[in-house]
Amino acid sequence: MTSPSVTTTKPQAAAPAVHPQSATLSTPGHDTGLLLLRLVLGLTMAAHGTQKLFGWFEGGGISGTGQFFTASGYPAGDAMAVLAGLTETLGGLGLALGLLTPLAGAAIVGTLINAIAVHGADAFFAPKGIEYELLLTAGAAALALTGPGRYAVDRFLPVLRSHRLAHGALAVALGVVLAAVLLLVRD
């Protein structure tokens, strides 16, 4: 018989250590999906920008795009064409590379808010609707908020190495505010 003061216990297996970051680490599938989204969305927007800047891919170039901006009520149509072309080209390339992803995504969001405003929201589906612009806007905002994933240049930048939601949220807010400012100067 054993005395009540002596108890035998079995050694318990140590619980696996839970590291706070382990739950947030991305998987190869997640990173590959973000890379695919960045490449398609970013290169699509960069191509749109080169249409405006250089007339590539049957674009209007600065002159033709400037006339469109003037007809749409923006002052200084050629300057707006350069601004939009640079924003789309550099923002798109930034997304494709995963370089300054929150700002690149915000640049695309701001540009597309203006595109939606000019296009009008009379219909949702193409050819007269906003579905294409809305999809690109949501994709760019999602990338700004989630970060570029592991396969990105941002991984080499100390500030953006580990994405923070605050960076993405502030960048998207900046894109929305700047888009609103541009819409205010429009006739």
Side-chain angles (χ1 to χ4, degrees):
M1 218 167 164
T2 58
S3 80
S5 63
V6 177
T7 57
T8 57
T9 58
K10 291 183 181 179
Q12 293 183 345
V18 177
H19 300 288
Q21 288 184 331
S22 65
T24 61
L25 291 178
S26 55
T27 64
H30 176 260
D31 293 320
T32 303
L34 287 172
L35 173 64
L36 177 63
L37 178 60
R38 284 193 355 256
L39 287 173
V40 171
L41 197 151
L43 293 177
T44 297
M45 290 309 302
H48 276 282
T50 61
Q51 285 181 307
K52 291 172 179 64
L53 291 173
F54 311 117
W56 295 353
F57 310 113
E58 301 178 20
I62 292 173
S63 177
T65 305
Q67 290 172 5
F68 170 79
F69 274 106
T70 300
S72 298
Y74 289 94
D78 286 354
M80 292 302 296
V82 171
L83 178 64
L86 285 173
T87 302
E88 290 178 2
T89 302
L90 297 176
L93 291 175
L95 281 180
L97 294 170
L99 175 63
L100 303 174
T101 304
L103 290 175
I108 299 303
V109 166
T111 301
L112 287 166
I113 287 173
N114 274 268
I116 290 170
V118 168
H119 193 89
D122 296 335
F124 182 74
F125 295 105
K128 296 179 182 179
I130 60 168
E131 65 179 325
Y132 175 69
E133 292 88 352
L134 187 62
L135 182 62
L136 292 173
T137 305
L143 286 169
L145 295 171
T146 62
R150 192 177 350 191
Y151 311 126
V153 176
D154 282 352
R155 299 273 297 172
F156 301 103
L157 302 176
V159 171
L160 296 174
R161 187 171 293 136
S162 63
H163 181 75
R164 292 175 181 82
L165 176 60
H167 292 152
L170 286 172
V172 169
L174 177 65
V176 170
V177 167
L178 292 175
V181 168
L182 283 177
L183 287 171
L184 288 174
V185 302
R186 186 173 162 232
D187 290 335

